[in-house]
Amino acid sequence: MNNTFQAPTIEYGQLAPLLLVFGAAVVGVLIEAFAPRYLRKSFQVPLTFVSLLGAFALILVQVFVSGVPTAPAAMGAVAVDGPSLFIWGVILILAAVSVLLITDDDHFVPQAAAVPGSAEEDDALAEGAAHTEVYPLVLFAVGGMLLFAASNDLLMMFVALEVMSLPLYLLCGLARRRRLLSQEASVKYFLLGAFSSGFFLYGMALIYGFAGTVDLAGISRALGTVSGQDPLLLIGTALLGVGLLFKIGAAPFQAWKPDVYQGAPTPITALMASGTLVAAFGALLRVFWVALGNLDWDWRPVMWGVAILTMVLGAILAITQTDIKRMLAYSSIAHAGFLLVGVIATGDARQNADALSGILFYLLVYGITTVGAFAVVTVVRDAGGEAGHLSRWAGLGKRAPALAGVFAFFLLAFAGIPLTSGFFGKYAVFAAAATGGALPLVIVGVVSSAVAAFFYVRVIVLMFFSEPAADGPTIAVPSMGTAAVVTVAAAATVVLGVFPEPVLRLADQAASTLFIR
Amino acid sequence: MGGYFGSYALVVALFAIGVAVVAGALFLNRMLRPTRLTPDKLLTYECGVDPVGEGWAQSQVRYYVFTYLYVVFAVDAVFLFPWATVYAAPGFGMTTLVEMFLFLGFIALGIVYAWRKRVLAWT
Amino acid sequence: MEPAEIFPHSGGVIGVSWLMIALPLLGAAILLLGGRRTDRWGHFLGVAMSLASFVVGVLTFVELLGLGEEQRRRVVELFEFIPGMVNMGLLVDPLSISFVLLITGVGSLIHIYSIGYMSHDPGRRRFFAYLNLFVAAMLLLVLADNYVGMFIGWEGVGLASYLLIGFWQHKPSAATAAQKAFIVNRVGDFGLLVAMFLIWTTFGSFAYGPVLGAAGDANVPATAIGLLLLLGACGKSAQLPLQSWLLDAMEGPTPVSALIHAATMVTAGVYLIVRSGAFFQAAPTAQLVVTIVGVATLLAGAIIGTAKDDIKKALAGSTMSQIGYMVLAAGLGPIGYAFAIAHLITHGFFKASMFLGAGSVMHAMNDEVDMRKYGGLASVMKVTWATFGLGYLAIIGFPLLSGYWTKDGIIEAAMEHSPILGWLAVIGAGLTGFYMSRVFFMTFHGKRRWAEDAHPHESPAVMTWPLILLSIGSVFGGAFLIVGNRFMTFLSPAVGAPEEPLGFHPFSVPGITTLVLVAIGAGYAWTKYGRSEVPAVAPRGSFLTTFARRDLYGDALNESLFMRPGQWLTRLAVFFDNRGVDGLVNGLAAGIGGSSGRLRRIQTGFARSYALSMLFGAAVVAGALLLVGNL
């Protein structure tokens, strides 16, 4: 045993975006502790935006001034490479857009500790209390996402996973209306998330048992040198995979998604459906491509099965949904399946770069469209909050043509209709998969897309060709933030659908170096 | 399975024997004893005193919060031990001290937050 | 002579020629997104955008003229549209710039006219937005340097046309007409799309340069591509057998009829055929079909025109007929291209001027369209009368006016190619003389047959000035283009030129015959509609009249040929569907829905059962990995 202890070197410059977000979160907690109640929001909101946008600026500085690093930072614990930087940028954009939705207080419970329906709750409502803890929680979650997608060893990845998940568990339970549903979602997410973390941790332990290291590159090296402990490695791979597949909501680990998406406050759902998915895919790619890349003959058939099951289950189950948020949740499951098709499409370096670039682009466009769609959901309201039931959306096209039109456009983008960003996303991923020899998967993907298109179009038909209900939902006047979100998302969906070239090229560049080891 | 898992075989065997002994004893007992139930016999045995209240009991939720706070301290302590071993090594000293206090500061943040939210007061 | 080479270009006005498309598009976007806030100044923005586009067009034209004759085909690369498949670029050459000037020039005049025409309409802003959208799409159609870009423009004008025909959607007839136009055009688009698929599989490219350069190669299915392109052209240009939508399209506001359904959009088919000339020159069969379609339509349109009492429908029949001339000329190969496009341009002027004149009349007569209720308007609407009259003289081919030069060119070229085609075209010219005179005399001369409450008056200056400008074009345009083969020389780098250009023979047999027939037609119309009483209700007439009035039974034909068999087929299909196919088609849908319903039950809502399913899934994943790993 070597007793000399090496002092670690930390590349603070490369980690600056992470540190900024976490630092802002810590400051946010201090504000909660010391600032008077009435001032908190006016501190928290600028702080949140400044840190998110500042982190984004730091990424730009890193890319354009310092150049993309070629070696992992912080003693090999964090890899700030092309894909990481792209994913960071995407997460920060999505988070900033989601925070615009969050600034609308109307979504969050005034006092989370009050029993639903109790006198305390009424008091808190009357008092106009608000939980400004939401902002530091979101920042912690976002910081976790950033770290999750960039962590280069399993231990760091696990820490990031928890830092990302714990605030989200809490945030899920803070919906202002239908609080029992929200709390149920929160508890379910927590229980199942903890369960999946257990799988991840156990898989990590087994892999450590096999490789003697938690470093992703080290595991990859061990694959070539250690032999005779296959069951350990394979079961470890499976359990690690379960933990990650749970986070992206792949079947058969998708059960939490609809319940949680439905119960959580819609802005938080938007953040989860976009940011968490992006981060989880970053981590999934890193584990399966970097650490277990040489094991692809073993995991690929299983991934095939998971991808097919996810696409088919997501598309089919979405058909009979009657709640708009649940439908979007199932659509998110189906999209996770489409993205998995890209994960499987490995091959030589060129092929990997193509597949990776497709996935990166897909994540960006899907994330933005998702946030936009949930933003629309927040403004269609009933007496009891958002009008979730699809029957309430009948005839929306006549009552609010612009809103319904934008929503229809988002749905078409989900369906992957040409001239929307969704088309190029799907095209990029499926094209890479087809050249990577996963043609049957692509066919399943296209068929599922067709099935999925059915329920997207069904909603459009409902909105535009049905008679509006007599006591239909009111269309809340969107706050500035919400209006901005819808506008930005719609614009991005159009621009990336008509003129995707610059962003595709950026994704290509980010993917060209692949993951550093 | 080979040698690696082979070494666990003994453990598994011992475990199996242990289970078999206990289960066998209970089973034999059940075979041999007479079974005549009365309400008194069905009562939960609590050192000879009649049980009071329900089988399910809830703890006061405040304990939960204190458990959390305990975890915060525990995390502190766990990290302090390995730190203490390198602190004395040449070339560390001051830097490590500052770093550790930064770390402690972050951990203390949780306590400060709890204190400001008046969690530490019992009533 | 072959078409000239295509050169890449950057810089200069040509380098920013995309502004021509971008400006009206921006206008449309502002007007549509801006909503009611833009109501007050929206129409001015629309006009300004169109005019700006025209200015850029003129500057581009000037810059293009500054280049050497063989240098006048420039491609401006814009961006990679579909990676590896389509690079979007603009092709600025004599052919496209001719269209650009027509579209933006006539388009701007019609924009200005519409300020007056639509002044009382609550939807005026929306109207200008659609007009701007149309201009942008039409410019994309003619400027794109590849078939995909052209197709996007093609669909864009289709959309604008649909929106504008159905602009008064509260009228069921307008809504139906819009849908009819949309559906009939889909048939044509289908042909165009399949042609594009063939082009891609054959050449591996959509760009005009490589595709048309290799169109004559031996292994190219030129006939198939040509005929499919023709199908597309027939849909957009209302040629037989896809003509039926154009007459109904007159439900749209009159400026729309003038701009879209007379001057520009309906000529897109001619553009397509001329642009893709290389395919047709490589496929004589396809060329023959083009000429037959052209002649058949020119006669059919003329016959329909003779019997319509609705002034706009009579003019629409005439449009069909005139486009038939252009298609005929385009089918003749390089010898006809210059005449086709020249006639297209002059037709754009005189037909737009007549349509706007008709709009002016309707404006004055409380939107009455029945010519039997007009009569004697010449005295109260001097400007309209004069401009309409000049347009009328131009279209019937009155010597030295625009139509005379261009139509005569087409007849001469057709005669050269095949006397049968030529003489049929001459007969068509005679019919034109009759039906246009009928429209003119019924409207402006004879007795006043006005409704009780009609108080006709001349239109405001904002409407009459465009009429005057347009009629200048309809008087001098033809001579300017044709005399000295000016236009043919200009166009030849883009489309090629015949070995020996056709001279102009004013005193040839066909030329004289045409003039005589036109004079007879006009004279007969004068005796029947100018001098004698016109009954207020249309007389029954012979079966021929009925034939013409019912659009040559075009709709009936469609109905019996396509709709009825379609209905039977549907019924048959429904029958089979209910019996056999049910299991396949309905069953599939029901199966998906049903399995969805069953699968839903997995989602019990209990966290414990979710956890169990996760555990189960983890076991399966681990088991599968072990199984695969140990294979």
Side-chain angles (χ1 to χ4, degrees):
Chain A
M1 180 109 189
N2 190 355
N3 270 327
T4 51
F5 182 81
Q6 290 291 320
T9 52
I10 309 284
E11 287 81 353
Y12 287 105
Q14 293 182 25
L15 300 181
L18 275 177
L19 297 177
L20 180 61
V21 172
F22 280 128
V26 168
V27 174
V29 172
L30 286 175
I31 292 175
E32 283 308 311
F34 294 105
R37 187 186 293 276
Y38 63 94
L39 272 181
R40 285 181 198 160
K41 190 176 177 189
S42 37
F43 284 138
Q44 295 285 18
V45 174
L47 176 73
T48 310
F49 278 113
V50 165
S51 63
L52 291 175
L53 299 178
F56 190 74
L58 285 171
I59 292 172
L60 295 183
V61 169
Q62 178 74 49
V63 173
F64 295 108
V65 181
S66 318
V68 178
T70 50
M75 306 300 285
V78 180
V80 187
D81 48 12
S84 284
L85 288 166
F86 190 90
I87 287 178
W88 283 5
V90 172
I91 291 176
L92 287 169
I93 292 172
L94 295 176
V97 176
S98 303
V99 170
L100 277 178
L101 280 182
I102 290 171
T103 50
D104 191 353
D105 280 334
D106 202 34
H107 298 297
F108 293 97
V109 64
Q111 190 178 3
V115 177
S118 65
E120 287 100 317
E121 190 181 45
D122 295 340
D123 288 349
L125 260 178
E127 200 180 306
H131 266 293
T132 38
E133 275 94 344
V134 170
Y135 298 97
L137 285 173
V138 165
L139 280 178
F140 275 122
V142 171
M145 290 173 195
L146 299 179
L147 188 58
F148 194 38
S151 37
N152 201 31
D153 75 39
L154 291 177
L155 211 53
M156 186 57 77
M157 196 174 269
F158 181 72
V159 171
L161 174 70
E162 293 305 314
V163 172
M164 169 179 88
S165 306
L166 289 172
L168 286 179
Y169 299 150
L170 264 180
L171 289 168
C172 283
L174 296 183
R176 189 184 195 93
R177 303 198 173 72
R178 286 182 230 169
R179 288 197 50 205
L180 285 175
L181 194 68
S182 170
Q183 294 185 346
E184 182 186 328
S186 176
V187 171
K188 268 184 193 165
Y189 192 23
F190 171 63
L191 287 175
L192 296 173
F195 195 42
S196 85
S197 293
F199 279 109
F200 187 90
L201 207 53
Y202 194 21
M204 196 168 106
L206 290 179
I207 299 247
Y208 181 76
F210 163 79
T213 174
V214 288
D215 184 50
L216 296 187
I219 295 167
S220 174
R221 274 194 301 278
L223 281 176
T225 55
V226 184
S227 59
Q229 299 187 352
D230 277 358
L232 210 58
L233 170 66
L234 292 174
I235 296 178
T237 304
L239 297 183
L240 212 54
V242 169
L244 291 166
L245 290 173
F246 173 85
K247 279 293 157 200
I248 65 168
F253 315 106
Q254 88 297 353
W256 61 276
K257 239 183 186 179
D259 291 13
V260 173
Y261 279 20
Q262 186 188 13
T266 308
I268 299 303
T269 311
L271 180 68
M272 285 196 291
S274 56
T276 310
L277 191 78
V278 176
F281 260 99
L284 182 82
L285 282 167
R286 227 170 250 289
V287 167
F288 279 90
W289 284 21
V290 176
L292 303 171
N294 293 329
L295 200 68
D296 58 345
W297 278 109
D298 292 313
W299 58 254
R300 187 177 290 146
V302 180
M303 277 295 193
W304 269 63
V306 171
I308 291 176
L309 192 64
T310 309
M311 290 187 285
V312 171
L313 209 67
I316 288 185
L317 275 173
I319 291 179
T320 40
Q321 298 308 317
T322 50
D323 185 279
I324 193 87
K325 280 167 84 179
R326 284 184 86 83
M327 194 206 82
L328 288 175
Y330 277 107
S331 131
S332 153
I333 293 172
H335 280 279
F338 299 145
L339 280 156
L340 275 179
V341 173
V343 175
I344 294 163
T346 52
D348 56 6
R350 178 80 219 128
Q351 166 66 25
N352 282 355
D354 279 351
L356 181 57
S357 127
I359 293 174
L360 293 180
F361 184 76
Y362 198 129
L363 285 172
L364 172 66
V365 298
Y366 173 72
I368 292 188
T369 311
T370 303
V371 177
F374 279 113
V376 173
V377 171
T378 62
V379 286
V380 181
R381 290 187 190 167
D382 255 347
E386 286 159 13
H389 201 271
L390 271 179
S391 63
R392 312 285 299 156
W393 286 60
L396 192 71
K398 300 201 176 75
R399 305 162 62 96
L403 195 74
V406 172
F407 194 67
F409 184 65
F410 288 145
L411 290 177
L412 291 177
F414 284 144
I417 304 295
L419 291 182
T420 63
S421 59
F423 170 74
F424 285 105
K426 276 212 179 82
Y427 175 81
V429 169
F430 284 172
T435 52
L439 197 60
L441 264 188
V442 173
I443 293 170
V444 174
V446 171
V447 171
S448 323
S449 305
V451 174
F454 169 75
F455 61 77
Y456 296 130
V457 172
R458 203 183 57 148
V459 176
I460 296 175
V461 169
L462 194 70
M463 287 192 302
F464 286 96
F465 299 101
S466 301
E467 279 308 307
D471 56 340
T474 51
I475 309 303
V477 177
S479 66
M480 287 291 280
T482 311
V485 173
V486 175
T487 317
V488 167
T493 308
V494 176
V495 170
L496 292 176
V498 179
F499 194 41
E501 194 49 31
V503 179
L504 268 177
R505 193 163 294 151
L506 198 65
D508 263 347
Q509 275 172 11
S512 64
T513 54
L514 287 174
F515 296 107
I516 55 175
R517 285 154 190 272
Chain B
M1 283 287 178
Y4 184 81
F5 288 102
S7 53
Y8 285 106
L10 190 64
V11 179
V12 172
L14 264 177
F15 187 72
I17 290 169
V19 170
V21 167
V22 174
L26 286 172
F27 181 71
L28 269 178
N29 196 348
R30 168 152 238 158
M31 288 290 96
L32 293 175
R33 73 177 183 226
T35 309
R36 287 190 199 87
L37 298 176
T38 63
D40 285 340
K41 285 185 185 173
L42 285 174
L43 272 182
T44 311
Y45 181 73
E46 278 189 17
C47 50
V49 183
D50 281 351
V52 181
E54 292 287 316
W56 286 96
Q58 285 185 327
S59 309
Q60 166 63 270
V61 72
R62 288 190 183 106
Y63 287 115
Y64 193 60
V65 178
F66 285 104
T67 316
Y68 262 154
L69 291 178
Y70 165 71
V71 170
V72 174
F73 281 113
V75 169
D76 270 6
V78 164
F79 279 95
L80 278 170
F81 286 113
W83 169 77
T85 62
V86 278
Y87 172 62
F92 289 93
M94 204 58 202
T95 329
T96 11
L97 190 71
V98 172
E99 278 175 358
M100 181 42 81
F101 272 92
L102 270 179
F103 174 71
L104 288 180
F106 283 128
I107 297 289
L109 198 67
I111 315 265
V112 169
Y113 181 74
W115 164 61
R116 288 291 299 173
K117 293 286 160 184
R118 289 191 289 273
V119 175
L120 298 183
W122 183 254
T123 47
Chain C
M1 192 181 78
E2 292 296 306
E5 209 184 318
I6 297 177
F7 300 94
H9 188 100
S10 58
V13 184
I14 297 180
V16 294
S17 49
W18 51 269
L19 275 177
M20 287 190 272
I21 303 171
L23 289 172
L25 196 62
L26 179 70
I30 293 175
L31 293 183
L32 286 179
L33 296 178
R36 274 179 220 108
R37 266 159 287 176
T38 58
D39 268 350
R40 267 188 313 123
W41 42 269
H43 45 287
F44 294 119
L45 180 78
V47 172
M49 286 303 178
S50 178
L51 276 175
S53 194
F54 176 62
V55 170
V56 178
V58 169
L59 293 175
T60 310
F61 176 62
V62 170
E63 192 170 301
L64 196 68
L65 283 183
L67 297 167
E69 208 161 283
E70 287 299 305
Q71 307 280 318
R72 285 186 192 158
R73 307 192 76 190
R74 320 297 293 188
V75 162
V76 185
E77 287 292 333
L78 293 182
F79 55 89
E80 199 176 343
F81 178 53
I82 303 175
M85 275 175 94
V86 184
N87 277 319
M88 187 57 85
L90 299 184
L91 172 61
V92 179
D93 72 352
L95 179 61
S96 60
I97 202 73
S98 309
F99 271 90
V100 164
L101 293 177
L102 176 74
I103 295 160
T104 52
V106 175
S108 298
L109 290 177
I110 291 173
H111 270 78
I112 295 168
Y113 174 92
S114 305
I115 296 178
Y117 190 82
M118 302 296 285
S119 56
H120 303 304
D121 197 293
R124 177 164 71 170
R125 170 186 56 82
R126 193 162 53 92
F127 181 79
F128 275 89
Y130 293 161
L131 272 192
N132 264 352
L133 178 68
F134 167 77
V135 169
M138 187 73 198
L139 288 172
L140 177 63
L141 195 166
V142 297
L143 278 170
D145 76 335
N146 61 72
Y147 280 98
V148 175
M150 188 274 296
F151 186 72
I152 294 173
W154 187 272
E155 291 301 313
V157 294
L159 171 69
S161 154
Y162 167 79
L163 290 171
L164 285 165
I165 295 173
F167 185 73
W168 288 314
Q169 75 249 101
H170 51 86
K171 285 201 300 189
S173 59
T176 318
Q179 281 181 7
K180 184 171 176 187
F182 202 72
I183 289 168
V184 175
N185 265 300
R186 288 291 80 66
V187 180
D189 293 350
F190 171 74
L192 183 53
L193 266 178
V194 177
M196 283 166 56
F197 296 160
L198 275 178
I199 287 172
W200 173 257
T201 48
T202 314
F203 302 97
S205 169
F206 285 120
Y208 291 144
V211 169
L212 296 176
D217 294 356
N219 56 350
V220 173
T223 310
I225 294 177
L227 289 176
L228 287 165
L229 289 175
L230 175 65
L231 184 61
C234 284
K236 194 61 76 197
S237 291
Q239 298 295 291
L240 287 174
L242 300 178
Q243 83 293 1
S244 60
W245 64 273
L246 184 62
L247 292 164
D248 292 2
M250 297 302 130
E251 288 291 343
T254 310
V256 170
S257 310
L259 177 62
I260 301 185
H261 304 118
T264 56
M265 186 190 82
V266 285
T267 60
V270 181
Y271 170 79
L272 181 66
I273 295 173
V274 173
R275 179 58 88 193
S276 310
F279 285 118
F280 291 96
Q281 282 157 52
T285 322
Q287 259 186 323
L288 179 68
V289 178
V290 174
T291 51
I292 291 173
V293 165
V295 166
T297 312
L298 86 84
L299 290 173
I303 293 169
I304 291 173
T306 56
K308 290 289 173 189
D309 289 334
D310 177 329
I311 184 167
K312 286 179 72 181
K313 293 208 168 171
L315 287 173
S318 144
T319 304
M320 253 175 79
S321 168
Q322 297 303 313
I323 296 171
Y325 275 105
M326 300 171 209
V327 170
L328 166 64
L332 297 174
I335 196 171
Y337 290 156
F339 292 121
I341 304 298
H343 193 55
L344 193 157
I345 292 171
T346 53
H347 173 256
F349 280 104
F350 55 68
K351 187 53 70 62
S353 121
M354 281 191 285
F355 257 116
L356 295 186
S360 176
V361 169
M362 285 161 58
H363 201 63
M365 302 289 285
N366 299 336
D367 286 332
E368 178 59 69
V369 289
D370 189 352
M371 293 190 286
R372 292 187 186 276
K373 304 218 171 102
Y374 290 170
L377 284 168
S379 53
V380 285
M381 306 182 72
K382 282 274 191 309
V383 181
T384 307
W385 170 76
T387 55
F388 196 100
L390 287 172
Y392 149 70
L393 290 175
I395 196 176
I396 65 169
F398 192 81
L400 303 184
L401 296 189
S402 281
Y404 170 73
W405 303 94
T406 51
K407 196 195 288 176
D408 191 70
I410 293 176
I411 292 174
E412 296 282 351
M415 205 60 94
E416 189 96 338
H417 190 78
S418 142
I420 301 178
L421 292 178
W423 285 114
L424 287 172
V426 169
I427 294 173
L431 282 170
T432 310
F434 170 70
Y435 72 75
M436 284 313 302
S437 309
R438 174 173 172 273
V439 169
F440 185 66
F441 295 140
M442 269 176 100
T443 304
F444 291 102
H445 296 276
K447 277 206 173 144
R448 297 179 173 184
R449 304 178 295 275
W450 305 343
E452 297 285 311
D453 55 346
H455 305 289
H457 52 87
E458 184 56 277
S459 298
V462 72
M463 287 168 71
T464 50
W465 273 104
L467 287 175
I468 294 166
L469 290 174
L470 283 170
S471 58
I472 292 174
S474 41
V475 172
F476 301 109
F480 176 76
L481 295 173
I482 299 300
V483 172
N485 279 338
R486 188 183 275 128
F487 191 61
M488 187 176 284
T489 321
F490 172 66
L491 209 57
S492 61
V495 298
E499 296 304 322
E500 42 186 290
L502 198 62
F504 184 67
H505 312 287
F507 302 111
S508 65
V509 180
I512 301 288
T513 319
T514 309
L515 283 181
V516 171
L517 279 178
V518 167
I520 293 174
Y524 179 59
W526 169 248
T527 53
K528 195 146 181 245
Y529 299 103
R531 233 182 28 203
S532 52
E533 197 81 358
V534 178
V537 179
R540 262 179 59 104
S542 67
F543 78 96
L544 258 177
T545 322
T546 324
F547 185 53
R549 273 188 199 140
R550 303 274 311 263
D551 305 347
L552 310 185
Y553 293 108
D555 283 339
L557 206 69
N558 279 352
E559 206 166 284
S560 56
L561 269 184
F562 301 111
M563 205 177 98
R564 288 280 156 66
Q567 280 173 339
W568 289 330
L569 212 65
T570 321
R571 256 175 238 156
L572 206 69
V574 168
F575 177 75
F576 273 111
D577 198 37
N578 287 342
R579 302 291 166 105
V581 191
D582 203 24
L584 239 139
V585 181
N586 269 351
L588 192 66
I592 292 177
S595 51
S596 177
R598 272 187 286 281
L599 279 171
R600 257 180 93 171
R601 280 179 223 152
I602 303 173
Q603 196 79 14
T604 53
F606 290 120
R608 55 177 185 260
S609 63
Y610 294 172
L612 193 67
S613 75
M614 275 175 65
L615 186 67
F616 178 70
V620 171
V621 167
L625 256 174
L626 277 176
L627 198 69
V628 175
N630 289 327
L631 276 181

